[in-house]
Amino acid sequence: MWIHRTRRAHRPDEGAGEGASAGASAPAAAPAASPAPAPASAASADPPASSSPAASPAPAPGGEGATWRPDWREQLAGSDEAALKQLQRYASPQEVWKKAKALETRLSSGELRAALPAKPTPEQLNDWRKANGVPEKADGYDLGAASAKFGDETKAFLDRALPVLHAANLSNDQARTVLKFLNDNALDANAARAQSDLQAQEAGEEELRAEWGAEFKRNIGLIHGFLDKGADAEFKEAILDARDGKTGKPLSSDPRWLRMLLNAALIDNPAGKLVPGGGANPMKGVEDRIAEIESKMGTKAYINDDKMQSEYRELIDARDKLRARV
């Protein structure tokens, strides 16, 4: 059905067998009458076998030099219009075979895999995951040797991230790639933040040293003392780790924040500047220092020391404020 059929050659002696046999059995004494000459048309239609060579056999279907029917696409597609439209992209059945062979090679090599159904059954989902390198459970991902060095913060992140990756059916290799990208970006971000924090700390310290002078260390001590008095260690750390909502910089490096804390510390302990280390009983420290200065009044040491006189006035003021709280 693929190529032209071979035409069967007609032998001149076919169909004349009966006449030949009859002629052989006729008496020899009576010569037969001469037959009338055959019509020209009959002679041309059935020439003698010796006057025309036998026809050559046609090539086998699909072999070298094969001739395909012009409607081979219609024969393959049948009534499928979409298939016919697709077959029209190919010049010959050989091209169709080459495409089919290439697809078979890709399928057998695992390059092409069946897609997961939109609503798979548990069995279909498990089979698909097994064929595509997705672990059965989220904790089945193998993240390599680096996972042994993960800190608590990273492990807490993985506890949240791996179930999400597993629900999205990421293979083990894909999960590693995603987590490596996130980890690398996190490291870059942390390094950039650490550098920014250091610069903010240096700038803030430089500004306050210029403003507070020799009282810088004492004022920082007062701030820590104030926080230790009003907050436990965990809450104090949270306060010092707080960041500006707009700039992201730590508040503990912001001169404005530190000035506010110092003012709060001095309100809580007015004698803080005058009697460092007064601790839980600042009143005693103030009174002891007042008594010490009063013992020098009338002496040249007191009369000639303007700084001591100024300190005495501040001590009296601090004592009055402390007494007012009682």
Side-chain angles (χ1 to χ4, degrees):
M1 63 180 288
W2 292 100
I3 58 176
H4 299 293
R5 295 180 180 176
T6 304
R7 185 174 179 180
R8 188 168 179 266
H10 180 71
R11 294 176 56 189
D13 57 345
E14 287 182 353
E18 294 181 1
S21 299
S25 61
S34 299
S41 61
S44 63
D46 299 309
S50 60
S51 64
S52 177
S56 301
E64 185 176 356
T67 302
W68 302 97
R69 288 176 52 163
D71 64 343
W72 65 268
R73 298 177 184 84
E74 290 77 2
Q75 290 290 322
L76 288 176
S79 60
D80 190 338
E81 293 295 331
L84 178 59
K85 188 174 181 180
Q86 188 174 5
L87 284 168
Q88 288 171 348
R89 303 174 187 171
Y90 301 94
S92 68
Q94 288 98 326
E95 295 296 322
V96 178
W97 166 242
K98 289 178 182 178
K99 179 64 174 291
K101 187 174 179 64
L103 287 174
E104 184 180 9
T105 301
R106 295 177 69 186
L107 283 170
S108 60
S109 68
E111 181 181 351
L112 296 179
R113 294 187 175 93
L116 182 67
K119 294 182 179 180
T121 64
E123 292 77 12
Q124 288 175 324
L125 181 59
N126 289 336
D127 291 344
W128 187 91
R129 283 175 169 172
K130 186 177 181 180
N132 288 272
V134 181
E136 185 177 353
K137 297 181 180 180
D139 58 5
Y141 282 107
D142 179 10
L143 303 180
S147 62
K149 301 179 181 179
F150 288 161
D152 292 338
E153 185 176 348
T154 303
K155 290 179 179 178
F157 168 75
L158 291 176
D159 289 340
R160 301 190 304 271
L162 290 180
V164 177
L165 300 182
H166 189 255
N169 291 315
L170 266 67
S171 69
N172 196 84
D173 290 342
Q174 291 171 332
R176 279 193 182 190
T177 300
V178 170
L179 292 174
K180 183 178 185 304
F181 170 79
L182 294 176
N183 187 57
D184 290 348
N185 276 268
L187 291 176
D188 291 343
N190 289 340
R193 169 174 279 193
Q195 181 63 26
S196 176
D197 288 353
L198 180 60
Q199 292 173 350
Q201 178 182 344
E202 291 175 348
E205 182 175 339
E206 182 179 357
E207 180 177 336
L208 289 179
R209 282 188 180 277
E211 178 180 332
W212 291 343
E215 296 180 349
F216 175 82
K217 291 183 67 175
R218 185 196 65 185
N219 290 347
I220 295 298
L222 288 172
I223 291 172
H224 279 287
F226 172 68
L227 292 176
D228 289 337
K229 181 179 179 181
D232 58 28
E234 183 177 356
F235 186 49
K236 177 185 176 183
E237 183 178 359
I239 293 174
L240 295 177
D241 287 343
R243 293 181 177 273
D244 188 300
K246 291 183 178 180
T247 65
K249 294 180 179 181
L251 292 177
S252 58
S253 298
D254 190 331
R256 298 169 300 173
W257 174 249
L258 294 174
R259 291 188 193 103
M260 185 187 72
L261 288 177
L262 177 60
N263 288 335
L266 291 175
I267 291 172
D268 178 69
N269 179 16
K273 279 188 174 183
L274 304 172
V275 188
N281 190 2
M283 176 65 80
K284 184 177 185 305
V286 169
E287 290 180 338
D288 288 347
R289 179 57 178 163
I290 288 175
E292 180 181 354
I293 294 177
E294 286 179 343
S295 66
K296 298 179 182 180
M297 285 183 176
T299 65
K300 290 184 178 180
Y302 178 81
I303 295 173
N304 295 330
D305 193 337
D306 293 338
K307 185 177 180 181
M308 185 182 296
Q309 296 174 26
S310 176
E311 180 187 358
Y312 180 76
R313 290 190 294 269
E314 291 178 357
L315 285 166
I316 296 298
D317 183 58
R319 185 184 62 183
D320 292 344
K321 290 180 179 178
L322 288 172
R323 285 176 175 176
R325 295 183 184 182
V326 179

